[in-house]
Amino acid sequence: MTQTQHDADQDIVLECDQVNRWFGGLQALKGISLSVRKGEIFGLVGPNGSGKTTLVNAITGFYPPQQGQIRFLGEPINGLKPHCIAQKGIARTFQNVALFRGLSVLDNILLGRHIFMRPSIMASLFYWWWAQKEEVAHRVKVEEIIDLLQLESVRDEPVDVIPLGMQKRVELARALCAEPRFLVLDEPMAGMNQEEKEYMVRFILDAREAMGTTMLLIEHHMDVVTAICNRAVVLNNGEKIAEGPTREAINDPAVVTAYIGKVKDAA
Amino acid sequence: MFYRLSGIHHTRYESARALWPVTADRRIVQGLLLLAVAAPFLLSDLYLTSYMLPWLIWTAAALSLTLLMGVAGQLHFGFAAVMAIGAYTSIHLTRAGVPFELALLGAGLMAALIGCLFGAAALRVKGLYLVMATLAMQYLVEWTIINVPAISGGAQATLSTPDVTFLFIPLQSDGALYYTALLWTVVVTLLIMNIKRSSFGRALVAVRDKDFAASVIGVNPLKYKLLAFFASSFLGGVTGAVLAFCYYQAVTPEQFGFNVSIQLVAMVLVGGLGSVIGAYLGAGFVLLLPIVLTNLLAFVAQFDLIPISFNLLSHIPLMVYGALIIGVILFEPLGLAKIYDNIRKYFLVWPFRHTQS
């Protein structure tokens, strides 16, 4: 093994090795292998139903793969429960915003600190002497993230009254608060207008710069993918059809075929 | 006017998360607490022991249930059984010579243990199915108490509470009973309010609102569902013991029947799910309104303006009471707590119309 090869292996944060997942007779993931290197934004694209979200669900533990292995920092994580995987340092956002509607923006973001906190009934009972110190310490970190993502104005609002673009930003804030080493963004710009989209791109880049987070980005906006992703994998029908530096992967003839069909297909 | 938000600026995170950040709210709470402490000197014995005392204890019960149903989102239709376990455990423990303070702890632990056993159903089922599981608890516990003479003291038996002391004060005078109940209700109130503003409560709400999103941020949904059942059943068990010693002073299984469970659910729903002030208002509504209505009608009837038969006289309060419960739920599905909140916000911005949140 050459030195550069060895360095690249050292740098791998997340590695999927021949991941297979069936739902009954439907094979949603067919032997997917990919590796995400430290500090990069890795694009995951493909037409609807190609298995992007299934792969993410396999990584975060909701649909553990029936075959194959997923390694996080060299350690196998398939088969672990989602909350255990979260504690190892993998965070994610959801395609359709999954915020806690009964809580304020601040409480939602504070929940991102859950893995660092020691919640207990006794700590709550003796709040002034026990829980308060912890709450305040984590509030400081949360305020840093609120600052980074410019959420000051909605901090105390109930989360279901703020606009969708803001909600997506709150979800990103909640994920970043966990100080993840690997962050999965599942269509963070779905349903956004051009301005909100550009803001979101800015925040993602800011977050990577400020925290050095490695990210996996699922997105249908190809302009965003080509603009910010270092490398990309394209899925179609559960298979990997292209991989490499983003622009090359997306311009691959197989990808063009998967999205808009072949010339002779046109009637 | 009454509330002033201007001039309230928080420079420390501690004060921003205080229980009552608005001065006017704090004054109201202080005033109410003062009234509650002074109640034995202000109210007649009748009002103290048959209105204030049960209201406080049932408020503690409603608070325990609202932690489970409102904050953690797990339905429970057998909460009277949880209280029964606490009541019977505490009586048997004190009869065996255990100090009352430890008996209260034992009552809570026993209720929490059995409550968790049935609550384990919540790990697999939600909603109506969980209602069925908790109903099963209600009937199983009731049946066991009635049919095991060692617990109930025999068929049709009434078990009276022995004389005990609480914190070196003998629980005999009305005052001592009242202050014990008040102390417990204040402790439960502070606990629920603190749970709601700390990481434990946030985790419970996360599991209630979206359990998959909760697990993706590292909250173990199974653990927190069980903890919710544990905490709520513990509080319910101790409240049952306090109810037995401070109010009933002699318990029978019928005092913890299914209708009591439904009344508790009504308190929580009418008051407002998950709300602390709602538990006070809901318990007051469900417990005291029938009495007030009956008294009101008896007062009206004594003038003989319209002839009302005795039969009708006893039924009208029930009809009005039922209509009022439906009325409140229809008028404000979020309960009395929301009505209070609306009024409070009206005064908060008076004479203007629009609130910030």
Side-chain angles (χ1 to χ4, degrees), chain A residues 51-118:
Chain A
K52 304 180 297 294
T53 301
T54 307
L55 181 63
V56 166
N57 280 339
I59 293 170
T60 48
F62 287 102
Y63 301 141
Q66 281 113 341
Q67 269 177 25
Q69 205 177 40
I70 300 169
R71 284 185 291 273
F72 177 57
L73 300 168
E75 187 187 352
I77 54 165
N78 40 334
L80 289 180
K81 292 257 179 259
H83 63 92
C84 299
I85 292 176
Q87 269 154 9
K88 291 198 178 293
I90 297 183
R92 77 173 277 192
T93 64
F94 288 86
Q95 190 173 348
N96 35 4
V97 188
L99 292 168
F100 307 112
R101 308 193 81 83
L103 293 173
S104 68
V105 169
L106 178 63
D107 280 332
N108 265 282
I109 303 176
L110 271 167
L111 262 166
R113 301 294 295 171
H114 179 85
I115 52 173
F116 303 111
M117 299 182 87
R118 302 267 157 276

Side-chain angles (χ1 to χ4, degrees), chain B residues 40-82:
Chain B
F41 308 101
L42 301 175
L43 296 175
S44 69
D45 280 357
L46 173 75
Y47 277 93
L48 187 73
T49 54
S50 41
Y51 292 78
M52 275 301 276
L53 184 68
W55 181 32
L56 282 176
I57 302 175
W58 286 107
T59 298
L63 280 168
S64 318
L65 185 57
T66 214
L67 173 65
L68 186 63
M69 292 219 336
V71 180
Q74 308 296 316
L75 299 176
H76 201 314
F77 276 53
F79 209 68
V82 174

Side-chain angles (χ1 to χ4, degrees), chain A residues 62 82-83 86-87 92 94 98-103 107 110 114-115 119 121 124 127-128 132 135 139 143, chain B residues 13-14 17 19 191 194-195 197-200 202-203 205-206 209-210 212-213 215-220 224 231:
Chain A
F62 287 102
H83 63 92
Q87 269 154 9
R92 77 173 277 192
F94 288 86
L99 292 168
F100 307 112
R101 308 193 81 83
L103 293 173
D107 280 332
L110 271 167
H114 179 85
I115 52 173
I121 303 163
S124 295
Y127 181 87
W128 299 272
Q132 192 176 47
E135 291 284 324
R139 176 77 186 269
E143 290 294 333
Chain B
Y13 294 134
E14 287 91 336
R17 293 288 259 189
L19 286 178
L191 173 61
N194 282 337
I195 282 179
R197 62 173 173 157
S198 60
S199 51
F200 180 69
R202 284 197 299 270
V205 175
D209 281 356
K210 282 197 178 65
F212 63 93
S215 60
V216 93
I217 52 169
V219 180
N220 182 352
Y224 280 92

Side-chain angles (χ1 to χ4, degrees), chain A residues 102-176:
Chain A
L103 293 173
S104 68
V105 169
L106 178 63
D107 280 332
N108 265 282
I109 303 176
L110 271 167
L111 262 166
R113 301 294 295 171
H114 179 85
I115 52 173
F116 303 111
M117 299 182 87
R118 302 267 157 276
S120 78
I121 303 163
M122 291 316 264
S124 295
L125 178 60
F126 300 107
Y127 181 87
W128 299 272
W129 306 277
W130 195 337
Q132 192 176 47
K133 204 186 291 177
E134 194 185 36
E135 291 284 324
V136 171
H138 289 284
R139 176 77 186 269
V140 172
K141 181 73 199 169
V142 164
E143 290 294 333
E144 272 175 33
I145 304 286
I146 287 179
D147 212 27
L148 184 72
L149 299 189
Q150 297 172 13
L151 286 165
E152 297 91 343
S153 59
V154 294
R155 193 196 279 123
D156 296 316
E157 302 282 333
V159 82
D160 51 349
V161 304
I162 62 173
L164 178 75
M166 280 288 196
Q167 291 187 358
K168 290 240 166 195
R169 221 192 283 176
V170 173
E171 210 186 1
L172 177 64
R174 187 180 68 189
L176 284 176

